[in-house]
């Protein structure tokens, strides 16, 4: 994993904490949340304030995420909004934290100038003892305050100010005035500079969780379902439309299609479909080369495609299926028939432009893990898990590729792969929908 870290592909964009003042604030927040402190003089934190070095020190990688459910957080700076969320157990957690920071950025900037802000992503479930508890997760509320209770004191001061303004004899209430002065020393002038954080709650109907082997829960769709990477027999009794595991390829395909959650890459607007599919074909060649023990250190696209031509007969059907799609996209072949059982099927899709686009792309990455670029972008935890089992030659190629092709322009790569243009109906689109390779799913 050191190669990933050194290349910025793991633990990248974390916030370095090495000043005594910030460490002291962090320790006060850590004591407030967990009753523990760190003796480290330097560490790196993610968007939630979690530091992997402190996790190692305490022997507890979940020290801010007890039971993997209600994520606690420590904010030392608003710059944390751009950091990743390490070891996420819910797909919604990072986006919720980022929206909370951005919505309250001015207030948080002022508060973190003097103290750390500590809080929790709170929902009605405190532990997932049974799979049925997944369905109880519907809303997450962000609760936060400084370790000194500045916001609590500001609320109390506001109530005292209201009482002072409305009570006729308040001018003669010396204890009330003394309490107001004492609170104002900590909060400042709340009339001119209100110290408030917007209360934020988020509906969580569709999400991924790492619990129970990894589950994708889709409730806010026409045909609800839960898709698990684990054992579906333990989930069969859940009161939801359907339960699938990753081997139920045709059923998952029908689910995605019937809920209009995916679209074929070759018909997606604004994409260089042939280039994207050719890159996926290269990744399949890399897999085959790993199995054959071929050294790919320093291999270029030209080298990979030379290998493909030399060993075309030994390449899997997924490679040839994508090749037929490329030929059609370039006008050099007939429209191929690719059903949901074909090994290239999920490689040929991307998420449609819906609010659940990121969640669907995450699912597609797990269904088609040969696409190492999509896997790294959309499902880092699975990427790191699989990376450990890859051969040294594949690791070398993957790190070199991601450093060269993705790290230099992350935003551009994401836009090219997953961005959506306003929908435009082109001549023949209705024909493609009826007789294309994805028509086989609709007819089942």
């Amino acid at each position: 994993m050191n190669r990933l870290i050194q290349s910025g592909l793991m633990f990248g964009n974390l916030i370095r904490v090495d000043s005594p003042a910030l460490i002291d604030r962090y320790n006060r927040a850590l004591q407030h949340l967990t009753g523990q402190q760190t003796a480290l003089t330097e560490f790196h934190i993610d968007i939630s304030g979690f530091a992997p070095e402190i996790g190692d020190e305490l022997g507890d990688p979940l020290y801010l995420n007890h039971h993997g459910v209600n994520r606690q957080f420590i904010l030392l700076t608003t710059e944390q909004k751009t950091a990743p969320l390490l070891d996420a157990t819910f797909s919604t957690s990072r986006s919720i934290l980022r929206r909370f920071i951005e919505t309250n950025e001015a207030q948080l900037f002022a508060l973190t100038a003097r103290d750390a802000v500590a809080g929790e992503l709170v929902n009605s479930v405190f532990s997932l003892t049974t799979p049925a508890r997944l369905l109880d997760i519907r809303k997450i509320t962000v609760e936060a305050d400084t370790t000194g209770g500045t916001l609590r004191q500001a609320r109390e001061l506001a109530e005292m100010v209201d009482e002072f303004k409305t009570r006729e004899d308040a001018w003669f209430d010396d204890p009330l005035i003394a309490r107001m002065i004492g609170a104002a020393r900590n909060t400042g002038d709340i009339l001119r500079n209100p110290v408030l954080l917007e209360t934020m709650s988020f509906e969580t109907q569709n999400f991924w969780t790492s619990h129970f082997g990894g589950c994708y829960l889709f409730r806010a769709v026409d045909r609800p379902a839960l898709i698990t990477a684990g054992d579906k027999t333990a989930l069969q009794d859940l009161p939801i439309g359907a339960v699938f595991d990753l081997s139920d390829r045709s059923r998952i395909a029908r689910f995605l299609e019937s809920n209009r959650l995916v679209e074929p890459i070759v018909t997606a607007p604004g994409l260089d479909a042939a280039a994207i599919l050719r890159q996926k074909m290269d990744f399949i060649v890399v897999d085959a080369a790993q199995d054959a023990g071929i050294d790919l250190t320093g291999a270029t696209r030209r080298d990979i495609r030379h290998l493909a031509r030399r060993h075309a007969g030994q390449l899997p059907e997924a490679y040839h299926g994508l090749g037929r799609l490329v030929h059609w996209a370039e006008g050099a072949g007939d429209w191929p028939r690719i059903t949901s059982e074909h090994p290239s099927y999920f490689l040929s899709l991307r998420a449609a432009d819906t609010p659940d686009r990121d969640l669907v792309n995450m699912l597609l990455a797990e269904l088609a893990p040969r696409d190492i670029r999509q896997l790294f972008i959309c499902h880092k935890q699975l990427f790191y898990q699989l990376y450990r089992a890859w051969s040294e030659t594949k690791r070398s190629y993957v790190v070199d590729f991601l450093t060269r092709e993705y790290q230099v322009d992350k935003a551009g790569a994401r836009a090219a792969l997953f961005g959506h243009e306003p929908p435009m109906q082109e001549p023949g689109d209705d024909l493609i929908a009826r007789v294309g390779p994805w028509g086989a799913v609709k007819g089942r």
Side-chain angles (χ1 to χ4, degrees):
M1 308 304 280
N2 286 335
R3 181 185 288 141
L4 290 175
I5 297 171
Q6 292 166 3
S7 301
L9 298 172
M10 188 175 187
F11 300 147
N13 210 31
L14 297 180
I15 305 297
R16 182 175 176 175
V17 180
D18 57 4
S19 89
L22 289 180
I23 293 172
D24 179 62
R25 292 175 194 170
Y26 188 93
N27 265 329
R28 290 202 304 271
L30 190 59
Q31 177 72 34
H32 175 72
L33 292 175
T34 70
Q36 302 179 91
Q37 291 195 344
T38 177
L40 299 179
T41 57
E42 178 184 326
F43 48 88
H44 299 78
I45 58 175
D46 67 5
I47 189 173
S48 74
F50 168 77
E53 302 98 325
I54 295 176
D56 289 341
E57 177 194 22
L58 300 177
D60 182 9
L62 295 177
Y63 73 90
L64 286 182
N65 195 20
H66 304 296
H67 305 298
V69 179
N70 291 312
R71 188 94 186 200
Q72 296 175 304
F73 60 88
I74 298 172
L75 299 180
L76 297 179
T77 169
T78 55
E79 292 178 8
Q80 285 172 238
K81 68 180 182 181
T82 62
L85 179 63
L86 303 180
D87 298 324
T89 52
F90 286 89
S91 59
T92 54
S93 297
R94 184 180 184 273
S95 61
I96 288 174
L97 281 168
R98 177 153 189 166
R99 285 178 61 186
F100 172 73
I101 295 172
E102 290 177 339
T103 301
N104 296 283
E105 191 156 5
Q107 297 285 18
L108 288 169
F109 182 83
L111 290 169
T112 55
R114 297 188 299 173
D115 200 355
V117 172
E120 187 173 351
L121 305 184
V122 180
N123 62 52
S124 58
V125 175
F126 294 98
S127 65
L128 289 170
T129 53
T130 64
R133 297 291 282 162
L134 284 172
L135 301 181
D136 293 332
I137 300 174
R138 293 185 175 274
K139 180 182 289 187
I140 295 177
T141 301
V142 184
E143 294 183 355
D145 200 347
T146 65
T147 55
T150 302
L151 297 176
R152 174 183 52 78
Q153 294 179 58
R155 288 191 295 269
E156 293 173 354
L157 178 55
E159 292 173 0
M160 288 188 285
V161 169
D162 288 341
E163 181 182 353
F164 184 81
K165 287 180 175 181
T166 55
R167 257 182 52 199
E168 291 184 3
D169 61 344
W171 280 99
F172 307 104
D173 190 339
D174 291 338
L176 173 63
I177 294 172
R179 292 199 304 273
M180 290 169 60
I181 293 172
R185 289 195 182 101
N186 295 324
T187 65
D189 187 344
I190 64 169
L191 298 180
R192 294 183 180 179
N193 302 294
V195 184
L196 296 171
L197 293 177
E198 183 176 329
T199 301
M200 302 185 72
S201 295
F202 301 85
E203 296 290 335
T204 54
Q205 295 292 334
N206 303 338
F207 59 85
W208 167 88
T209 177
S210 62
H211 294 274
F212 308 110
C215 298
Y216 299 82
L217 180 61
F218 291 89
R219 286 181 294 200
V221 293
D222 293 339
R223 299 182 181 181
L226 183 143
I227 301 170
T228 179
D231 180 10
K232 71 178 179 182
T233 58
L235 307 167
Q236 291 286 18
D237 295 332
L238 292 184
I240 193 167
V243 176
F244 311 133
D245 63 27
L246 298 185
S247 67
D248 295 321
R249 294 176 62 88
S250 292
R251 299 176 70 193
I252 293 173
R254 288 198 297 272
F255 162 78
L256 294 171
E257 174 65 23
S258 64
N259 287 301
R260 299 176 294 281
L261 294 174
V262 293
E263 61 187 9
I265 291 173
V266 291
T267 61
L271 286 187
D272 185 348
I276 292 174
L277 293 175
R278 284 189 183 280
Q279 184 64 76
K280 292 173 183 280
M281 293 169 67
D282 288 351
F283 295 146
I284 295 174
V285 176
V286 170
D287 259 358
Q290 173 186 237
D291 295 340
I294 299 173
D295 186 4
L296 296 177
T297 303
T300 64
R301 287 186 179 181
R302 182 177 180 180
D303 297 329
I304 296 299
R305 289 169 188 174
H306 179 65
L307 277 174
R309 287 191 294 271
R310 280 175 45 197
H311 302 281
Q314 288 79 49
L315 291 174
E317 181 56 28
Y319 178 91
H320 299 294
L322 293 180
R324 291 193 290 273
L325 283 173
V326 169
H327 292 156
W328 177 85
E330 294 178 336
D334 295 330
W335 185 254
R337 178 178 175 82
I338 296 177
T339 71
S340 55
E341 292 297 328
H342 195 281
S344 68
Y345 177 77
F346 289 111
L347 284 164
S348 71
L349 301 177
R350 73 167 187 176
D353 190 12
T354 72
D356 296 308
R357 181 173 66 188
D358 291 346
L359 180 62
V360 174
N361 277 328
M362 185 178 187
L363 172 60
L364 290 174
E366 187 154 7
L367 287 164
R370 282 173 165 163
D371 185 346
I372 54 98
R373 177 170 54 184
Q374 178 159 329
L375 186 65
F376 178 77
I377 294 172
C378 302
H379 202 333
K380 281 189 174 59
Q381 285 173 255
L382 181 59
F383 174 89
Y384 296 140
Q385 175 187 328
L386 296 178
Y387 178 90
R388 292 183 176 91
W390 291 340
S391 69
E392 186 62 24
T393 185
K394 182 172 179 179
R395 289 180 185 177
S396 175
Y397 171 81
V398 168
V399 170
D400 181 62
F401 170 82
L402 291 174
T403 303
R404 183 182 67 247
E405 302 282 345
Y406 174 66
Q407 290 285 84
V408 294
D409 184 13
K410 296 179 183 179
R414 290 171 183 266
L417 291 170
F418 310 120
H420 287 77
E421 299 293 333
M424 294 178 62
Q425 186 72 19
E426 297 290 346
D429 277 1
D430 57 337
L431 179 64
I432 290 171
R434 283 188 286 109
V435 303
W438 300 272
V441 175
K442 297 179 182 179
R444 291 189 179 189

